[in-house]
């Protein structure tokens, strides 16, 4: 998996992870914000309660309006989107996590 991450991020970094088994408890934690990066149709069928939806093509336009910089952001969605937006948010000073 680390080779895949290096190829996606195009640099040798170590993303921060949260174990997926903890996700069901974290959506209730006020220190975290769960973000789904997916289409509205997918989100309507399957999303975590109180998660935030961001459409992939709109991410960079809306992230400042929907994400709370004081919280730890957990990104969910297709892996190539998670990796791209992980790097973007980390660059802009957010605490970002991927699921492991």
């Amino acid at each position: 998996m680390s080779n895949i991450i290096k190829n996606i991020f195009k640099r040798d970094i170590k993303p921060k992870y949260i174990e997926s088994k903890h996700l069901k408890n974290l959506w209730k934690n006020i220190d975290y914000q769960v973000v789904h990066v997916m289409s509205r149709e997918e989100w309507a069928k399957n999303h975590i309660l109180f998660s935030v939806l961001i459409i992939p093509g709109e991410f960079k336009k809306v992230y400042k309006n929907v994400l709370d910089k004081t919280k730890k952001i957990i990104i969910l969605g297709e892996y190539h989107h998670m990796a791209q937006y992980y790097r973007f948010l980390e660059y802009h000073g957010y605490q970002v996590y991927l699921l492991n």
Side-chain angles (χ1 to χ4, degrees):
M1 175 85 109
S2 64
N3 286 338
I4 294 170
I5 292 171
K6 285 181 187 178
N7 289 336
I8 290 173
F9 284 95
K10 305 224 185 314
R11 60 184 173 123
D12 190 16
I13 65 162
K14 297 207 184 262
K16 294 178 277 184
Y17 287 99
I18 289 181
E19 294 291 326
S20 57
K21 65 184 177 184
H22 300 297
L23 185 60
K24 66 181 177 181
N25 296 321
L26 292 177
W27 69 265
K28 297 181 270 185
N29 187 323
I30 62 170
D31 295 327
Y32 290 86
Q33 187 173 20
V34 178
V35 178
H36 271 124
V37 180
M38 57 178 50
S39 70
R40 289 188 202 290
E41 295 79 23
E42 289 177 84
W43 191 77
K45 293 177 189 174
N46 185 23
H47 71 278
I48 294 174
L49 195 58
F50 302 114
S51 63
V52 174
L53 168 66
I54 298 182
I55 309 300
E58 299 173 3
F59 191 93
K60 291 180 180 178
K61 290 187 279 185
V62 302
Y63 80 96
K64 286 183 180 180
N65 298 328
V66 296
L67 300 182
D68 185 343
K69 203 168 190 175
T70 65
K71 296 187 179 197
K72 298 171 185 169
I73 308 297
I74 303 171
I75 302 176
L76 306 173
E78 295 180 25
Y79 194 80
H80 65 281
H81 290 303
M82 291 188 305
Q84 175 185 1
Y85 299 132
Y86 176 97
R87 186 176 180 188
F88 178 82
L89 291 174
E90 184 182 57
Y91 176 80
H92 289 285
Y94 288 81
Q95 290 183 334
V96 189
Y97 296 85
L98 298 176
L99 286 182
N100 192 6

